[in-house]
Amino acid sequence: VPLDLTDRASVEAAAQRVQAELGPIGVLVNNAAATQSKPFFETTEADWAPQVDVTVTGTLRICHVVAQQMAANGGGSIVNLMGDSGRVGESRLLATATTRASTIGLTKSLAKELARVGIRANAVSIALVRTDNLDAHTGDADEERMQRIKALYPLGRLGRPDDVTPMILLLASPRSSWTTGQVISVNGGYS
């Protein structure tokens, strides 16, 4: 179900459609973010705005809508995904890291406030994963640069999507029913 996280009406319509067609939403995985790699002194407020609107406000918006449905239906699980730059910082990603760091505060606050209505909230902090948009994060890295990047990871490689999926599934499932408010790093040992 497509939606625009920057538009409350779009989020509400999508959540209503999902509930009508598939039943109550029991799991929300937030994976949308706007990012930009650029030296901080070269950025402008216009560069920051879409990152804040999607990654911060958009995540707040969808959590607000879906958590109300979850509460009305007896609870659920929210899993917020974030890039590791929000946990450890990273040059050229200052606005991106700032918005990602907000995910930590949001997750911990949701966990504390929504536990009383049966909703758990956790975050998965992810380092570089080989996906279709890897080049957006590494630039057009030649083999030598990729070797230097891999050397930052004690396990000696970048992640794969199937390295991350099991943690998301665990946090979404009843097998983690006593886990809430946590930020779990899936990052090959990068710290």
Side-chain angles (χ1 to χ4, degrees), residues 8-131:
R8 173 100 185 184
S10 175
V11 171
E12 289 174 341
Q16 289 169 359
R17 180 176 166 196
V18 168
Q19 185 161 295
E21 292 179 16
L22 301 173
I25 298 173
V27 175
L28 170 63
V29 177
N30 285 308
N31 189 34
T35 64
Q36 181 183 49
S37 177
K38 193 175 194 181
F40 184 57
F41 290 153
E42 294 176 18
T43 64
T44 66
E45 291 187 22
D47 293 322
W48 309 338
Q51 295 178 71
V52 171
D53 201 23
V54 172
T55 311
V56 180
T57 311
T59 303
L60 277 166
R61 187 175 287 120
I62 197 161
C63 285
H64 193 251
V65 170
V66 173
Q68 290 183 63
Q69 283 187 4
M70 287 178 172
N73 293 313
S77 176
I78 297 172
V79 182
N80 294 318
L81 307 187
M82 60 178 278
D84 241 5
S85 66
R87 193 181 56 80
V88 300
E90 194 167 333
S91 64
R92 297 184 57 91
L93 288 175
L94 275 81
T96 297
T98 300
T99 61
R100 289 172 171 174
S102 74
T103 302
I104 296 171
L106 172 63
T107 299
K108 290 180 176 290
S109 297
L110 286 169
K112 288 183 177 184
E113 184 166 335
L114 302 183
R116 62 187 168 77
V117 293
I119 299 172
R120 295 179 298 106
N122 293 287
V124 178
S125 182
I126 307 164
L128 282 178
V129 174
R130 289 197 172 276
T131 62

Side-chain angles (χ1 to χ4, degrees), residues 128-170:
L128 282 178
V129 174
R130 289 197 172 276
T131 62
D132 293 340
N133 66 353
L134 177 65
D135 289 343
H137 296 287
T138 61
D140 291 326
D142 58 21
E143 187 57 35
E144 181 181 327
R145 180 157 184 258
M146 284 306 295
Q147 290 305 320
R148 286 194 313 267
I149 291 171
K150 288 180 193 176
L152 298 171
Y153 296 89
L155 290 178
R157 67 175 176 84
L158 300 183
R160 298 181 305 262
D162 64 343
D163 291 323
V164 179
T165 306
M167 183 57 66
I168 297 167
L169 292 171
L170 174 65

